[in-house]
Amino acid sequence: MSFFSRSFPSLNRLSQLAFRPRGVQEFFENAQSLPTEKSWTGRAWRASELRIKSFDDLHKLWYVLLKERNLLAAQKEEARRFHISKQYFSNKGRQIKCQKSMARIKFVLNERRLAWVEAKKLQRLTTAQDATANAKIPASSSSSTTTSTTTPEAVGSA
C-alpha cells in the first residue's frame, strides 16, 4: 500500500467506485463469462433477518439479488452455448439461494402489507366507535336536562 493511499483512504475508495463495471459487464463475474474456479457462497437470507430490515434496505437487497439472478442466468446460458455439461459447471445452488431470498423478501413485505391493512381497519373501527360515543354523550346529557324541566312533576312543584 502506498503512502498516498494510506493518507487518503476516502480517495482510494472513491477510485474503486468510479471504475466499477457498468452495463453488460455486470452480467459477468470478474469480467469472465464463466467462472474458472468454484467459489463458496453464503446462505440464503432468513425471513427473521429480513423482518429487521427497513423498506429501503429490502428494496436495495431485492435489486442486488435481481442482479445476481441475471448474472447466474447469463452464466447458465454461456455454459449451454459452449456445450458444457452440468457435471462440470452448475450454479444451481446459487440460483436456489437467490430464489429463496427473493421469495422471503416478498413474504416479509406481504406480512407488512397485511399488518398495515389490519391496522388501518382497526383505526377506522376505533374512529367510528369514538365518533358514535361522542355523538351519544352530548345527546343524552341534553335530553336529560330537557326532560327534567318538562316533566309534569317539575311543572307542578314550581
Side-chain angles (χ1 to χ4, degrees), residues 57-71:
D57 288 343
L58 290 176
H59 187 77
K60 290 173 189 174
L61 181 59
W62 177 267
Y63 278 100
V64 167
L65 289 167
L66 183 64
K67 207 161 107 175
E68 176 77 9
R69 189 178 76 178
N70 288 337
L71 179 135

Side-chain angles (χ1 to χ4, degrees), residues 31-101:
Q32 298 174 343
S33 61
L34 292 172
T36 55
E37 59 187 43
K38 191 166 180 118
S39 62
W40 184 84
T41 57
R43 58 175 172 74
W45 284 84
R46 293 186 182 121
S48 60
E49 295 168 333
L50 295 171
R51 285 185 188 106
I52 299 168
K53 302 282 184 195
S54 68
F55 177 79
D56 290 334
D57 288 343
L58 290 176
H59 187 77
K60 290 173 189 174
L61 181 59
W62 177 267
Y63 278 100
V64 167
L65 289 167
L66 183 64
K67 207 161 107 175
E68 176 77 9
R69 189 178 76 178
N70 288 337
L71 179 135
L72 295 171
Q75 286 180 354
K76 182 179 179 180
E77 183 59 29
E78 283 293 298
R80 187 196 62 76
R81 192 172 69 115
F82 290 129
H83 304 291
I84 298 174
S85 171
K86 290 182 181 180
Q87 177 182 352
Y88 297 110
F89 175 77
S90 176
N91 53 16
K92 191 69 174 165
R94 286 174 66 183
Q95 287 176 335
I96 290 170
K97 292 173 194 174
C98 188
Q99 188 177 13
K100 280 184 179 181
S101 294

